[in-house]
Amino acid sequence: MTHQFRTVAVIGAGTIGLSWTALFAAHGLTVRVSDPRPDLAEATAGTPAVFGPHPAARGLETDGLTDRVHLAADITGAVRDADVVQENGPERVEFKKELFARLVREAPGHALLLSSSSAIPSSVFTTETEDAGRILIGHPFNPPHLLPLVEVVPGFVGNRLQNALNRQAVHLVQQGVITPEDLDTVVTHSLDLGEPSQDPEDRERVIQEVEKAYAATPYADLAEARDRAQLAVLSALADVRRNQKEN
């Protein structure tokens, strides 16, 4: 018998966690959010304004979105009746070991336990955990409420490709081959091999160049522009697929 998913616990309400929250709620699920951040209520209350318009543009239900989002006093309260738990905590093995051991004990026996980890395979933090078979990587691509790919795996593929591209980009800027602005223009058209330096001075120089190039635009505006562009790409791809089916 297939279990009907109705309630999701989101553990960790940073950028990724809040984006997951918006996506789950837009699909009509009840979402319980747990995070020690002192501004949790404010952060979740702002979710519709930040994330809501984009799922709505994809045809998802965003009316009453905040009514489906509930704050939990702690992890125990968040997972008590969850069908799915989505963890978005720090990328630290010991943290995840302790957390998932707790989730196995406190979440319902049927609940799927997913981690948004982008670099740590689930096998690394489940070796000493009972009932580890229901623990998986549910690795999203940022932002989860827009990008359709989620890697449900014990290891990673897409993230390795992203990391390779990022390393080459940093290397090119460090070598003075290109500026961050020009790199943004050509990155979708070429890949250049190279190994970025891990020297603190080289890394700091790249950070300063990027901040110099984009500091004039607030992060929220950059994120909004990114989301609009991503939504346009997804819409265009949907139109192409629809036309192919019709023809």
Side-chain angles (χ1 to χ4, degrees):
M1 178 177 177
T2 301
H3 186 84
Q4 181 67 41
F5 295 112
R6 294 186 177 90
T7 303
V8 181
V10 173
I11 309 300
T15 301
I16 298 296
L18 290 176
S19 181
W20 269 126
T21 297
L23 181 63
F24 290 138
H27 277 280
L29 300 171
T30 296
V31 187
R32 303 192 192 284
V33 185
S34 173
D35 191 291
R37 61 186 292 179
D39 64 339
L40 180 60
E42 179 183 354
T44 53
T47 297
V50 177
F51 302 112
H54 303 296
R58 295 176 57 196
L60 297 176
E61 181 57 57
T62 57
D63 289 339
L65 187 146
T66 52
D67 295 335
R68 297 189 288 276
V69 178
H70 306 274
L71 305 187
D74 53 27
I75 290 175
T76 300
V79 306
R80 69 178 186 272
D81 58 354
D83 301 305
V84 179
V85 178
Q86 185 73 47
E87 174 269 330
N88 312 282
E91 288 285 87
R92 299 199 305 266
V93 172
E94 289 306 314
F95 170 85
K96 293 187 186 298
K97 277 185 177 180
E98 295 177 7
L99 176 61
F100 276 91
R102 179 178 178 181
L103 294 178
V104 166
R105 293 194 305 270
E106 299 186 5
H110 69 271
L112 291 177
L113 309 178
L114 304 177
S115 173
S116 289
S117 175
S118 61
I120 306 173
S122 61
S123 58
V124 173
F125 55 83
T126 59
T127 53
E128 302 172 6
T129 303
E130 296 181 4
D131 200 13
R134 59 190 178 120
I135 300 174
L136 287 169
I137 296 297
H139 170 240
F141 292 83
N142 192 24
H145 68 281
L146 279 186
L147 293 180
L149 178 62
V150 177
E151 293 186 303
V152 183
V153 293
F156 306 91
V157 176
N159 208 52
R160 292 182 182 181
L161 297 175
Q162 283 189 335
N163 185 54
L165 176 58
N166 182 65
R167 291 171 67 86
Q168 306 315 314
V170 171
H171 174 78
L172 289 171
V173 173
Q174 285 181 342
Q175 297 300 308
V177 174
I178 196 169
T179 65
E181 302 100 313
D182 289 340
L183 180 65
D184 277 347
T185 301
V186 303
V187 71
T188 57
H189 302 290
S190 67
L191 291 174
D192 297 291
L193 297 179
E195 186 68 22
S197 167
Q198 297 303 315
D199 182 81
E201 292 184 1
D202 291 335
R203 293 173 64 182
E204 182 61 27
R205 186 168 64 253
V206 173
I207 292 172
Q208 291 178 359
E209 288 193 39
V210 172
E211 290 181 346
K212 179 181 177 181
Y214 299 103
T217 306
Y219 173 80
D221 292 347
L222 290 172
E224 175 63 21
R226 174 204 63 194
D227 290 352
R228 285 200 310 271
Q230 183 62 55
L231 191 60
V233 171
L234 293 174
S235 178
L237 288 173
D239 288 342
V240 169
R241 295 190 186 101
R242 188 162 46 248
N243 291 334
Q244 288 176 336
K245 289 181 179 180
E246 292 175 354
N247 295 327

